[in-house]
Amino acid sequence: MNKHHVLKGTVAALVATAALAGASGMAYAANGKQAADLAVHGRAQRIENITIGNTQAKNVILFIGDGMGDSEITVARDYLYGANGTFDGLDRIGQPSAYGDTTVGTGQYTTFSLGAGIEDKNDPAVTPVTDSAASGSAWATGTKTYNNALDVDVYGTPQMNLTELAKATGNVTTSEIQDATPAAQMSHSTLRSCYGPQGKTDGSSNNAADQCEVAQLKENGGIGSISEQMLDTRADVTIGGGAKYLHQTVQGGEYKGMTVWDQAKAMGYETVEKDVDALNALEYTGKPVLALMADGNLQTKFAPSVATKKDPAKDENPIQCAVNPDWLGNENANGNSASLADMTSKAIDLLKANEKGKENGFFLQVEGASIDKQDHNANACGQIGETDDLDKAISAALDKVDLNETLIIVTADHAHTSQIVEEQPNYALSTVLKSPVDGAKITVAYGTSPDQMYADDDAPKFDEVESSMSHTGTQLRIAASGPGAQRVNGLTDQTDNFYTIAKALGLASTADDYKNLSTGMNYAVNVKDGKVSLDVTGLNGDASFTYTVTDASGQVVAQSGGTEDNADPISGVRVRIAQTTSVDLTDTVTEGKTYKVKVTGRQTGVTLEKEIQIPAETTSEVIPGKPTGGNANAAGNASAASPLGKTGVAIIGVVVLAAALVSTGLAVRTIKSRRSGSAEQR
């Protein structure tokens, strides 16, 4: 039997099978990709390689309403502005001619993740309902991952995010800055709970072993906690909550023994802690700004309401929401406030004054975080006030920028539980509101808690996450105005949002692009003040790297976590973005001796290996070497097929300059690394 007959027989069998399935009502369109394919960077895009209209923008501002599904928008609009009313910012972004004849787009996007938690690491599975960590990672990196993971793929390998790729950058939130959505723009973690070097504590205790994978901790040779990585990522402006987690003590590296706050100051940050007047007084000084306005999450705009079981009395006495006296948006005695609109305005002012921002534009992410948190609590007034706070932040941004050069995107990370219903349901908690605008009675139901919501006294029962309302998996609204806005039209995916922003700013976005960014990698050994450091620069397409130092006999005298005996992707050395990353070799090498040094980018595989003689005090030794593992045609320069943008660290001139600085003996701070272990996580 020849191949032709075999092929004919196979085709006939397939056709017969399809016909049989169709006849039995079981034929399905083979449209969706499988989890393993979707896990690859960029594979979940719905509009891959599509360019629509003018995609180039100088600036991009991404507004995220956490948990702000269509229902949450409608609840807030109906209450605040009436059923026929309009949000000034939230509804007009994406609306033709709302702000002049700018480019606009409005669509929906899908939000699924690839696993329910770390138990699905290395074994991706399509998961219809995402959490904030996996969803934030999707638009921050263009890579799908499992729930509770931040900017790592499903195998734990860090993925470059927009803040690492862009030039002037900002991150503003009403949550703890270490919370999932803001953390996705500044860190890589296999567990979203790895807030600090001592875990999710105020520094008075240490539960890092329960909150972090042990291999990620710096004292074990890992890339560090979310708070520590935030300092390495070095956004130009960071404003939010979570101040108490920076009172933890650094456990490894050159800043060991300091608090994270003290480390931030030592690294040159302009810091503000819980001081509204100091935030308002901030001006651009050339230093990155770290302003944390509360120990935990920021207070909500409206005081809480409580959803309860069905009760006819609620229909007779619908409630109205009241402003929370502890909300930072209330003016203090000096006439200053810190609403989300205030913080957004301050961030834009600082970014526009920034030299990098003036020349290359900026990327800013702004999150209204507690729409989600109050939805979890079945707190209608809380979520309404936070939606209003986000809307006013959008309006504040529109007063500061030109939509001819700035792309503004408004969307959410996942849908949530609240729904406007006809009457109080028997099966769920509910709140009955009365709109102060049109007098309508609005019944809001909450029915997605996985647990029984009533204690013995019939009062609602909330116990942290276990008994709170849960997310839903529906697609979400996304709207945009400004250059590149048309890419959000129709149905897209969260990962498409990464590419929309990257294309607008001209950033690297593909695996080949990242290799091109790292082919300019170089390193030198420096001796200063009795300290010997390995100074690595130009590794701009990787979030972390590994190194090995071998003596003349072939014995390894120094190595990072993640080499030889430990291949965990979250071990190794965290790259300090667009800076020199230094590793302390003081106790492992001898002046005058020659060693072979090998440095490898964790994500790209770009490798540079060369022999270096340990120099005398205040000198440096750079021996030319060619990185390997990247695009062979792109060593030291960009491939013609890989556009590198004006705002990205991709600019080859910057890479060359950084390498030149190293060759002249630039020495900065040192980081010690030890071999890392591993431990199970709950």
Side-chain angles (χ1 to χ4, degrees), residues 524-535 582-587 589-593 595 612-622 662 664-668 670:
V525 173
N526 288 283
V527 180
K528 186 174 183 181
D529 299 329
K531 296 285 188 180
V532 182
S533 64
L534 173 68
D535 294 347
S582 297
V583 177
D584 187 10
L585 299 179
T586 304
D587 298 328
V589 296
T590 303
E591 181 182 329
K593 287 191 174 182
Y595 298 86
I612 288 184
Q613 185 177 42
I614 305 304
E617 179 81 10
T618 69
T619 67
S620 66
E621 177 80 4
V622 178
V662 170
T664 58
L666 176 65
V668 295
T670 59

Side-chain angles (χ1 to χ4, degrees), residues 399-412:
D399 289 338
K400 295 277 186 179
V401 299
D402 180 355
L403 286 177
N404 290 310
E405 64 176 17
T406 300
L407 172 63
I408 294 182
I409 302 173
V410 179
T411 188

Side-chain angles (χ1 to χ4, degrees), residues 519 521-523 607-610 622-628:
T519 52
M521 183 251 287
N522 210 333
Y523 52 80
T607 297
L608 179 60
E609 184 172 10
K610 58 187 178 182
V622 178
I623 299 177
K626 181 178 179 180
T628 61

Side-chain angles (χ1 to χ4, degrees), residues 276-288:
V276 172
D277 293 330
L279 175 68
N280 278 266
L282 279 175
E283 294 183 359
Y284 178 67
T285 63
K287 294 182 178 181

Side-chain angles (χ1 to χ4, degrees), residues 215-359:
Q216 184 173 322
L217 298 172
K218 283 200 172 182
E219 63 265 34
N220 297 323
I223 61 177
S225 66
I226 292 167
S227 291
E228 292 168 295
Q229 290 187 60
M230 169 178 66
L231 303 183
D232 293 329
T233 300
R234 205 174 178 86
D236 294 283
V237 183
T238 303
I239 308 175
K244 66 181 178 182
Y245 302 110
L246 272 70
H247 290 287
Q248 294 185 28
T249 303
V250 177
Q251 304 293 303
E254 82 177 279
Y255 298 105
K256 182 178 180 180
M258 287 186 177
T259 66
V260 183
W261 270 119
D262 288 339
Q263 178 181 340
K265 293 169 186 175
M267 292 178 67
Y269 280 82
E270 185 84 36
T271 60
V272 173
E273 184 176 9
K274 297 184 295 185
D275 189 334
V276 172
D277 293 330
L279 175 68
N280 278 266
L282 279 175
E283 294 183 359
Y284 178 67
T285 63
K287 294 182 178 181
V289 168
L290 177 60
L292 302 188
M293 307 307 296
D295 280 332
N297 299 311
L298 274 60
Q299 289 278 348
T300 59
K301 179 174 184 175
F302 285 166
S305 57
V306 179
T308 56
K309 64 188 299 185
K310 185 175 182 179
D311 181 356
K314 294 193 294 185
D315 289 323
E316 299 300 321
N317 299 285
I319 67 171
Q320 292 188 337
C321 303
V323 173
N324 179 1
D326 295 326
W327 178 49
L328 292 180
N330 297 320
E331 288 190 358
N332 65 14
N334 297 318
N336 292 321
S337 58
S339 66
L340 186 58
D342 294 325
M343 296 189 296
T344 300
S345 291
K346 177 58 67 175
I348 293 172
D349 287 344
L350 292 169
L351 289 169
K352 290 172 73 173
N354 187 302
E355 294 303 319
K356 295 179 294 182
K358 285 180 181 178
E359 181 178 354

Side-chain angles (χ1 to χ4, degrees), residues 121-193:
K121 183 182 174 185
N122 299 318
D123 188 20
V126 172
T127 305
V129 181
T130 189
D131 81 327
S132 294
S135 60
S137 299
W139 75 70
T141 70
T143 307
K144 289 279 188 181
T145 191
Y146 58 86
N147 290 347
N148 292 315
L150 285 167
D151 290 11
V152 297
D153 64 16
V154 294
Y155 308 105
T157 302
Q159 306 290 296
M160 293 292 284
N161 62 50
L162 289 163
T163 302
E164 292 167 330
L165 293 165
K167 273 294 209 181
T169 56
N171 197 355
V172 176
T173 182
T174 55
S175 74
E176 296 160 338
I177 198 67
Q178 302 87 353
D179 203 8
T181 303
Q185 289 295 352
M186 64 187 187
S187 65
H188 309 267
S189 183
T190 54
L191 286 168
R192 62 181 285 183
S193 55

